[in-house]
Amino acid sequence: MMTDMKNSNNNHDSSTISAAETSSLEVDSCTTSTAGGRRVNTNPSRHFYLSPHTFWMQRWEALVVTTVIFTSALEVFIAVLDSRVLGLWVFVYLCDFIFIIDIVLRFFVGYMKNGILISDVRLIRKHYLRTTFIPDIVSVLPLGLIVLAKPGIQVADGFVTTLTNIVPKLAQYRCMNRLLRVYRIESYFEMKESKLGTNTVAIRTIKYTTYAGLSIHFLACFWYLLSCSGRHGDTIPTCDNGTWAAQLEPSSYISEKSTLDAYIVSLYWAVATTTSTG
């Protein structure tokens, strides 16, 4: 009788310990697990989320960064040199559509914190809203509607308000808000460099080549802006006297060249002047 009671108590204690261990394992499995060498938050209360380490998400991120690079370059080109090329506008708005899709996806893409992939959708949304949501949403605002504004107000004695000069300039640079996306370029390359097993030399080569290309492009556009006006609406390009553009030979007047030729001349003079090679 006593032996049966002891065996019963032992069995009860063993089942209690086993249940406790099982419960502990379940709690641990709900907090972190390993996936590809990374600790992942696997809270069962979370909803659907996207891991940034999957093959397709990495390809999507590369696509978004590529559109950011081209959009940044084209926006400056359109604002400074020529805003009448329809194909450039179509491409820019296509990139906007891709970026809007990315904004929606950002509410479901997990992020790393202290070496742990956060997969709780509530935390993901709070993190995105507190970090880059504002610049992202501002960068897709349709500021192009400014072009519909009527420049100037005619009043008594032929006086025209200063809006006559201000509004056309605002309309010219109405879509420069897309430049707010350039932070994605740096964050993308940082992510690629921190990933184990990647060729950091190749990644850094691509990164600095991208930065150099964008810097030279921006410099060429700025150099053109210092002297000449671009092709916008019905305006004819003109260059100010006493500037570098006015010093060219008569056969090389930049105001008489095509948009592409004017850009190439500006690119040459900007690089030659800043590097003291010209």
Side-chain angles (χ1 to χ4, degrees), residues 223-234:
W223 201 255
Y224 180 89
L225 183 63
L226 289 177
S227 305
C228 307
S229 61
R231 292 172 171 82
H232 308 288
D234 298 329

Side-chain angles (χ1 to χ4, degrees), residues 70-97:
F70 281 103
T71 301
S72 302
L74 289 177
E75 273 306 316
V76 178
F77 180 88
I78 291 173
V80 174
L81 277 94
D82 197 339
S83 62
R84 299 181 301 184
V85 183
L86 179 60
L88 296 181
W89 285 106
V90 172
F91 181 79
V92 167
Y93 280 111
L94 177 62
C95 292
D96 281 352
F97 178 72

